[in-house]
Structures are given as structure tokens and as C-alpha cells.
Amino acid sequence: MANLNNQTLASLNGKLPIPAYRLGEHKPQIGIVHLGPGAFFRGHQAWYTEQALQFGGDWAISAVSMRSPDVSQALSPQDGLYTLAVLDAVQSYQVIGSVQEVLIASEQYSQVLARLTAASAKYVTLTITEKGYCLNGSGKLDLSHSQIQQDLTGSSQPITAIGLLFTALAARYQANIAPFCVISCDNLTDNGHKLRSALIAFAEQKDPTIANWLSQQLISPCTMVDSITPATDDAIKAQVASVLGVQDNWPIKREAFVQWVIEDILPADRPAWQQAGVIYAQDVTAFEKAKLRLLNAPHSTLAYVGCLLGYETVFDAMQDKVLTQFIQQMINDEIMPSFKAPAELDVKQYSEDILARFRNPAIRHLLAQIAWDGSQKLPMRILPAISDNLAAGKPIDKLAFAIAAWCRFIVKRYNDNDKLVDPLAEQLLAVAAQCSGNADTDVALFLAVDAVFPPQLSLNKAFFSAVHAAYQQLVSQPAAALAAFAGVV
């Protein structure tokens, strides 16, 4: 079977939507560089840009992987083309052509730097996960981070996204080229402001003149992104091949729902993202908080509790009536009361729609994948709601149950000798090695991990007590503990 590429693209016309602009003489030039070309980016920002390209403009994407060659090896022979499969009540397929190339920064540094320093590169978008920003517990650039230290003091090419972007911005400054606009698309609270602050903090260590330039000119909007995009598996590859009649090395699957909210501070020269459905808002914070608390917090809770109960996917976990009752109670009793929703959002309907999305049988989203990087996700998804409820005198028992489930998940990975995907894996597994099943000592050990739990929370007696109570019950019988917390006799 032939491979998907520019040569075979025309043969697909009429079978499914294709990037027709790839077939003409005047192809769009690169105007966007993206760091972190994972599944979410290819199902989300690249899709929005694909839609925007229908309205014209030089907004093709140069996708850059910091180190991993996997995406480049899969998509480079395909000229960056890949298939997006939308799997929901109605299934659809589309060939995405917005990604013109996939580079590897560690191997093609000069090419990456050339892309970033070109005046035509007006936007840099990022999906590098929470850990990729190298922030401390206060959301500031961690200047003691080993990789940040290496980029600050070393003479070799930068290894962090922050170091790479600074190097490019410094070169643009020297060439009298305006800074590119940087757009974080990660589930990081206040993501744009934190990214901007991190870049300026790095610049202050390297060159205060450039730091001052960036503080005056660098634009970095906050954003909220949403669409469930599971990892690609052999089943979707076979499914796409049968539809296209050509082989796609790395198709992407996602649900039909997709959302991108951007703080309305972008320059006027921008892709036609708004025509593609992007929402420009004066304040993204309320949307971001709603998504983190009503989608991401239940998602993570499902992952940790579901893994303890032996489930494999979100859909599997959502078939457990006790677990879904617990999740609904957590949302109603502890999450919704923890924040003020944006006026434009029907929070009850939004939450119901999210749970319906979790029940989508066409999306096989592994709980283990959602459980990755818990040390980075919990401080964004669950701990803020706990802190807000404690300050307001509201209940936290079910949110604390989610934290206890994460602790038990770590212990289970250690006991089962399974790999833990987390930037703090070594530290967390060392904690798990000391755990004996005694809630008094085990919970104290976990809450002492200050990279996850800030002191004002870990030292809070009500928080310790709530996590302790949940942990104690989870040790022996996770199903019975869940039933007790859900009020099921």
C-alpha cells in the first residue's frame, strides 16, 4: 500500500477533506513554529490552523520536537501530512496539511534556530506539558532547575524550551526583528503570563537589555484548550488505511468536541483562527478554571481511582456506577462551589457534557496515560480547589480522596515494579518505598513532597485529616473505600 504524501494526496480528493492548497503552485509559507508536536497539538492547534488556511495567508507550521525523533520519522516521509479521525456519534476523517515539516531541535538545531529567527515566523505555539516550563511551586522559572542551569551557564545549544526561545529572541533583538508572539497551549493555570514571566526571568540572568526589550514588546496570551485526544494505536492506523486506501504512519484520533479560547491581545496580523472557531476573550481565567476543575480534575480522579480498581480506559471506568456517582458528587458538592464560572458558561450543562464525553465508546483513552505526570497536574487541577474550599469553609473530602488515590497509585506502581511516568518519579518512588500502609506515616511522607504540596496546604490539619481518612480506607479495599465515600451502602 502506498504511503500518504504530497504525491498520493490528489488521489484522496473526493474521499475526504484534504488540504487542496498543497496541490497548487502557491503554497503557504511558514509563519508559525510549534514546540511539542504530540497528539494533542496535531488534533487541536494544527487542525484549527488547517481550517484557517482555507482563508489564505502564510501560516504553515514548522513543528519542532525538542529531542524525540518519533514524530519526525513518521511524518517527514509523508511531507508532514497526517489524518485526523474524529470518533464520536458520527465519525469523520480529514487530511491535515498545516504542518509543513517536523524538525528535531537536538539534531537540527541550526534549522530550528533559522525558523525561529526568520521575520516571517510571527507566532510560536507550545504544547510541552506542564513540566516543560521548568517552573517552581510558585509558578516562577526555577533557576535552580538542572536543565535551566545548564542553559544559563553552558556554551552548548539550549536543551529547554525556555532556553531555546530566549536564544531565538536574543538573535531577533540583535537583528532588529520584533519578538514573535508566544502562545502556551498547555493545561497550566495563567499559562501565557507564566510563560512570559519565565522568558523574562531567564533573560534577566543572561542579558538585562533583552529582558527590558521583552518586558515591553513580548506578547504571550493566556489560553484554554480542550479536546480529548488519546494516543494513536494500531486499530486507528488500520481504520484510517481502510478509509484512505493509503498508509498513514501516524494518524490522530480525537472526539468531536474541540475548544480554544485565547486572550484577546494578539497582533492584528494573525491566522484566521476566529473563523475556524477560536474564541477571543478579554479574560481567559474563568474559562481556564472551569475546564481545569470540571474536566481535568474529574479526569485525573478517574485515572487514579480507576487504576486502583483495575480499569484500563476512561470508558471502562465510566461503566462503574459507584465511581460515576462519586465523580458526580465531587463535582456538585466540592468542585462547582469552589469557583465562579464565566457568565457565558452554563456550568451545569458544561459539566454534564463533559461526563457524556467521558462515556464516548469510540474513544479509547487509557487511564494510565491520563495518570502521567501527576506531580505536575495535581497542583493545577485539584489542589487549587482544595485550597479555595478550605479558605471558604467548604467540604474537601472527595477531592482529598482523589489525592489519596494518587498516593496509593504511586505505591502500587512501586509494589508492582511498574514504570512511573513523572518528572519526580525517582523522588516519588523513594517515598513509596518507605510506605508501609500506615496512613499516619505514609500521608506525612507524601505531603512532605513540597514540589507538589505547598507548605500552607501540607501543614493544614483539615487537609491532612481528610487525606488521611481516605488513604486509610484505600489501603485495604479500594472498592469499599469508594463506596463509603460515595455514600453507597
Side-chain angles (χ1 to χ4, degrees):
M1 184 180 288
N3 276 359
L4 174 64
N5 53 40
N6 282 339
Q7 282 66 48
T8 58
L9 184 62
S11 69
L12 304 178
N13 204 6
K15 286 186 178 181
L16 71 168
I18 65 169
Y21 54 82
R22 283 283 194 111
L23 304 175
E25 293 183 6
H26 303 290
K27 300 177 179 63
Q29 300 302 300
I30 288 174
I32 302 169
V33 179
H34 179 84
L35 304 188
F40 184 78
F41 154 72
R42 282 178 280 152
H44 190 275
Q45 297 96 49
W47 175 83
Y48 273 105
T49 303
E50 175 71 21
Q51 309 310 107
L53 282 169
Q54 310 307 316
F55 297 90
D58 288 323
W59 301 113
I61 301 170
S62 173
V64 176
S65 168
M66 293 301 292
R67 281 171 286 278
S68 172
D70 295 352
V71 178
S72 180
Q73 289 173 355
L75 297 191
S76 292
Q78 299 183 176
D79 302 311
L81 296 168
Y82 62 92
T83 311
L84 174 65
V86 175
L87 306 181
D88 223 302
V90 176
Q91 299 189 1
S92 63
Y93 304 84
Q94 177 181 2
V95 176
I96 305 297
S98 57
V99 177
Q100 190 173 105
E101 64 184 9
V102 183
L103 304 177
I104 309 165
S106 59
E107 299 177 14
Q108 298 166 290
Y109 177 67
S110 60
Q111 290 173 254
V112 170
L113 196 59
R115 286 299 186 200
L116 287 167
T117 54
S120 56
K122 298 177 180 178
Y123 291 86
V124 173
T125 55
L126 301 89
T127 48
I128 55 176
T129 75
E130 294 92 337
K131 64 187 175 186
Y133 296 84
C134 303
L135 306 179
N136 59 25
S138 301
K140 303 295 185 183
L141 183 66
D142 184 359
L143 294 173
S144 66
H145 191 287
S146 60
Q147 292 185 341
I148 292 294
Q149 274 292 305
Q150 183 173 330
D151 281 355
L152 285 171
T153 60
S155 57
S156 59
Q157 65 190 45
I159 59 174
T160 67
I162 299 298
L164 175 63
L165 293 180
F166 167 77
T167 302
L169 287 164
R172 292 173 78 102
Y173 174 78
Q174 296 299 335
N176 198 28
I177 299 172
F180 40 63
C181 176
V182 286
I183 306 179
S184 168
C185 300
D186 285 294
N187 287 317
L188 191 68
T189 55
D190 210 26
N191 55 10
H193 300 158
K194 286 177 179 174
L195 173 57
R196 186 177 189 275
S197 173
L199 287 168
I200 293 172
F202 190 96
E204 286 170 346
Q205 301 295 311
K206 297 287 285 186
D207 189 330
T209 303
I210 294 176
N212 181 59
W213 177 66
L214 292 176
S215 68
Q216 295 180 47
Q217 296 198 31
L218 185 63
I219 296 173
S220 183
C222 289
T223 69
M224 188 275 276
V225 297
D226 189 8
S227 193
I228 296 173
T229 311
T232 298
D233 54 20
D234 290 340
I236 193 61
K237 288 182 180 179
Q239 188 174 334
V240 165
S242 69
V243 171
L244 271 63
V246 297
Q247 188 67 41
D248 185 342
N249 292 325
W250 206 331
I252 296 299
K253 59 180 178 178
R254 68 159 165 82
E255 62 175 342
F257 180 90
V258 61
Q259 189 175 41
W260 193 4
V261 183
I262 303 178
E263 185 180 2
D264 196 7
I265 59 172
L266 296 189
D269 189 11
R270 63 180 79 169
W273 282 328
Q274 188 165 12
Q275 289 92 318
V278 166
I279 299 169
Y280 288 100
Q282 293 300 313
D283 181 14
V284 177
T285 306
F287 286 95
E288 174 190 81
K289 189 174 285 189
K291 190 250 180 170
L292 281 166
R293 299 202 183 184
L294 291 171
L295 187 148
N296 295 125
H299 223 197
S300 287
T301 303
L302 274 173
Y304 298 120
V305 178
C307 284
L308 294 180
L309 296 174
Y311 297 122
E312 186 179 14
T313 69
V314 172
F315 177 77
D316 295 338
M318 289 297 292
Q319 306 315 300
D320 185 321
K321 293 183 179 180
V322 177
L323 179 51
T324 55
Q325 181 173 321
F326 172 83
I327 293 292
Q328 187 68 70
Q329 290 171 346
M330 182 177 75
I331 292 168
N332 293 342
D333 300 344
E334 300 183 12
I335 293 180
M336 283 187 185
S338 74
F339 74 105
K340 184 177 180 180
E344 303 92 331
L345 188 67
D346 181 337
V347 68
K348 190 173 185 302
Q349 186 61 52
Y350 179 64
S351 179
E352 289 174 1
D353 291 344
I354 286 169
L355 294 181
R357 292 162 61 192
F358 289 172
R359 294 188 180 95
N360 181 354
I363 293 291
R364 190 172 182 274
H365 204 174
L366 296 177
L367 295 174
Q369 181 190 358
I370 301 164
W372 291 352
D373 300 335
S375 68
Q376 310 297 296
K377 292 175 178 176
L378 295 183
M380 305 293 172
R381 299 180 174 196
I382 296 179
L383 298 187
I386 290 175
S387 296
D388 288 345
N389 282 0
L390 285 170
K394 295 173 181 175
I396 63 164
D397 291 345
K398 292 178 175 61
L399 291 166
F401 188 91
I403 300 299
W406 173 72
C407 298
R408 291 304 302 168
F409 169 81
I410 303 295
V411 173
K412 187 176 189 302
R413 300 299 276 191
Y414 173 79
N415 290 339
D416 295 346
N417 200 27
D418 284 337
K419 181 181 179 182
L420 178 65
V421 181
D422 194 291
L424 299 183
E426 186 177 349
Q427 182 180 1
L428 293 172
L429 291 174
V431 168
Q434 301 176 63
C435 290
S436 62
N438 183 307
D440 292 336
T441 55
D442 292 5
V443 172
L445 286 167
F446 275 109
L447 297 193
V449 180
D450 57 8
V452 180
F453 302 100
Q456 63 268 31
L457 184 59
S458 62
L459 297 175
N460 184 287
K461 291 181 179 178
F463 177 60
F464 181 92
S465 177
V467 177
H468 181 282
Y471 188 97
Q472 197 164 34
Q473 293 197 50
L474 278 167
V475 166
S476 55
Q477 286 289 336
L482 176 67
F485 273 76
V488 177
V489 179

